[in-house]
Amino acid sequence: MKFLQNFYRSFSNDIGIDLGTANTLVYLSGKGIVINEPSVVAVNQKTGQIVAIGAEAKKMIGRTPGHIKAVRPLVEGVVSDFEVTEEMLAYYINKADKMGKKMFRPRVVVGVPSGITNVETRAVYDAAKSAGAREVYIVEEPMAAAIGIRLPVHDASGSMIIDIGGGTTDVAVISLAGVIQSKSLNMAGDKLNADIVSYFRDEFKILVGEKTAEEVKIKVGSALPLEEPIETPVRGRDLVTGLPREVVVTDSDIREAIMPSLKVLIDGVRQVIENTPPEILSDIMGRGIVLTGGGSLIRGLDIILQKVSKMPIYVAEEPLTAVARGTGIILQDFEKYKDVLVSNDDELPLR
Ligand code: ADP
Ligand code: MG
């Protein structure tokens, strides 16, 4: 059995997938991250058929005829639309597998949000299998992120990761190869975009799309006042005249827009810290808390978190790719990391 497994493994691709609420990244052995696209699927509502996946589907948001709808199958960190998730996963697995040009079907590690239920985990497992994966393994995203940034996850001392994505912020404490405590907050990048849309409507009386709001957030969003204020022009539709209008917004406007949500996020993090056992807290004190995910790039968020938590806070290098890199490291050094997986291909159920 073992011999056969090793034989297959030496002639097949290893594929790692970060199935994020906002972005899906795919790692391919020997190549690194080969796919990095939004987790968006465009569906024809009339026929139920999928029209586009990934970047192409995201471009369609707000630009499609009424019957074509762009959906994000993993909103809020849960598999809200299983069939669409399945097709998206199959599309990415096959796309990456073709790039690798190997004889046998691939071995796949999929990162899933830590709040996911066993039923959903099973669904992701089945989806990857039906997409043609020979072996499928599931890992919780905060664990993959911790491995991606090379935290010592096997040690008996605790580490804390805060992964701020699109749909959710996952706070996890890791020790002895397991997630010993975690909390998933429905407060992350998407909510900030929505706040910015509301702010434009209420304060400037213009309507802007979510995509524009996200661009503004990335350009001038900050959690703290900046030494040099920044501004950016924004185009939207005037709610009174119905015609296009341009306004110039500053970091201070956007801060006002996103502050209430940032407070909720910070409070959530604080609660997890308050519930962490003192021994582990002292480990984390020494090592610091690491931020990953795209949302960690909001200017000054690390500094506010540091003030509130009284802990050293670091933003990971390349926070958007930490989970995908983690799946790659797991595949590369499988014997070392197989105990961090929540399911392995021989034995379900999980956990
Ligand atoms: P997920 O894991 O849920 O797919 P990601 O880790 O890919 O999420 O992060 C996506 C989120 O990060 C989006 O809400 C996006 O707007 C936000 N984001 C990306 N870059 C930045 C940035 N420079 N500043 C602020 N937010 C950012
Ligand atoms: Mg993520």
Side-chain angles (χ1 to χ4, degrees):
M1 234 3 236
K2 197 82 201 156
F3 167 77
L4 206 58
Q5 193 175 49
N6 285 336
F7 174 75
Y8 278 124
R9 280 182 188 170
S10 52
F11 296 103
S12 67
N13 291 311
D14 283 339
I15 293 174
I17 300 178
D18 169 8
L19 204 54
T21 61
N23 298 298
T24 299
L25 278 72
V26 184
Y27 165 94
L28 175 64
S29 49
K31 297 247 162 95
I33 293 168
V34 290
I35 296 171
N36 184 349
E37 293 196 41
S39 304
V40 179
V41 177
V43 182
N44 182 329
Q45 303 283 91
K46 283 187 190 155
T47 62
Q49 259 171 347
I50 288 177
V51 185
I53 296 179
E56 207 187 321
K58 189 173 184 181
K59 265 191 241 149
M60 293 180 175
I61 293 182
R63 292 208 176 91
T64 51
H67 64 284
I68 293 181
K69 204 175 152 214
V71 292
R72 293 184 40 197
L74 291 150
V75 283
E76 297 189 358
V78 297
V79 180
S80 58
D81 190 332
F82 181 64
E83 273 170 38
V84 176
T85 305
E86 188 171 357
E87 295 224 27
M88 189 171 82
L89 199 54
Y91 170 79
Y92 285 127
I93 289 175
N94 292 320
K95 191 169 172 182
D97 198 36
K98 279 202 193 97
M99 293 179 192
K101 300 194 177 70
K102 290 277 170 79
M103 191 178 348
F104 298 122
R105 291 182 291 128
R107 177 169 62 150
V108 177
V109 169
V110 188
V112 297
S114 63
I116 193 168
T117 62
N118 281 0
V119 174
E120 288 170 327
T121 309
R122 176 82 215 197
V124 170
Y125 173 92
D126 290 343
K129 272 266 153 154
S130 69
R134 191 172 34 81
E135 292 174 63
V136 177
Y137 301 91
I138 309 278
V139 61
E140 289 171 284
E141 278 162 7
M143 175 60 81
I147 294 168
I149 59 178
R150 306 217 174 252
L151 287 178
V153 296
H154 287 94
D155 283 11
S157 85
S159 311
M160 187 183 274
I161 289 264
I162 305 176
D163 183 19
I164 310 174
T168 58
T169 293
D170 290 307
V171 189
V173 178
I174 289 168
S175 177
L176 287 169
V179 175
I180 60 170
Q181 196 185 345
S182 74
K183 191 180 169 83
S184 189
L185 312 161
N186 287 345
M187 172 60 69
D190 292 347
K191 179 62 173 56
L192 304 184
N193 301 348
D195 291 342
I196 293 171
V197 172
S198 310
Y199 186 85
F200 277 112
R201 192 190 51 223
D202 300 342
E203 299 294 317
F204 295 107
K205 311 287 176 231
I206 68 168
L207 189 66
V208 301
E210 292 239 348
K211 205 166 145 272
T212 303
E214 179 169 37
E215 284 162 12
V216 173
K217 173 184 73 177
I218 292 174
K219 265 200 197 134
V220 303
S222 78
L224 283 175
L226 305 172
E227 272 176 31
E228 300 260 327
I230 40 181
E231 56 177 47
T232 185
V234 180
R235 281 185 215 142
R237 180 152 49 120
D238 190 299
L239 284 169
V240 180
T241 66
L243 297 174
R245 178 153 67 91
E246 188 175 288
V247 294
V248 172
V249 292
T250 62
D251 58 289
S252 141
D253 293 322
I254 300 307
R255 200 158 39 251
E256 196 180 322
I258 64 178
M259 218 36 184
S261 292
L262 287 182
K263 284 210 173 103
V264 173
L265 196 158
I266 292 163
D267 275 351
V269 169
R270 208 189 145 134
Q271 268 174 32
V272 178
I273 295 174
E274 283 169 7
N275 293 330
T276 303
E279 279 74 20
I280 293 198
L281 213 52
S282 113
D283 298 339
I284 300 169
M285 237 3 259
R287 185 172 292 147
I289 300 175
V290 187
L291 306 186
T292 61
S296 68
L297 290 170
I298 301 232
R299 296 172 188 81
L301 185 57
D302 51 340
I303 297 169
I304 288 210
L305 279 169
Q306 185 148 337
K307 274 194 193 138
V308 173
S309 69
K310 309 267 188 297
M311 301 267 214
I313 307 268
Y314 306 99
V315 180
E317 266 174 52
E318 299 188 43
L320 283 144
T321 60
V323 171
R325 283 182 283 132
T327 61
I329 294 169
I330 292 168
L331 285 159
Q332 251 168 29
D333 206 346
F334 199 70
E335 289 308 309
K336 176 173 173 192
Y337 287 108
K338 68 179 182 198
D339 56 344
V340 309
L341 302 165
V342 286
S343 83
N344 74 54
D345 209 14
D346 314 314
E347 39 177 323
L348 285 163
L350 326 140
R351 287 192 237 227

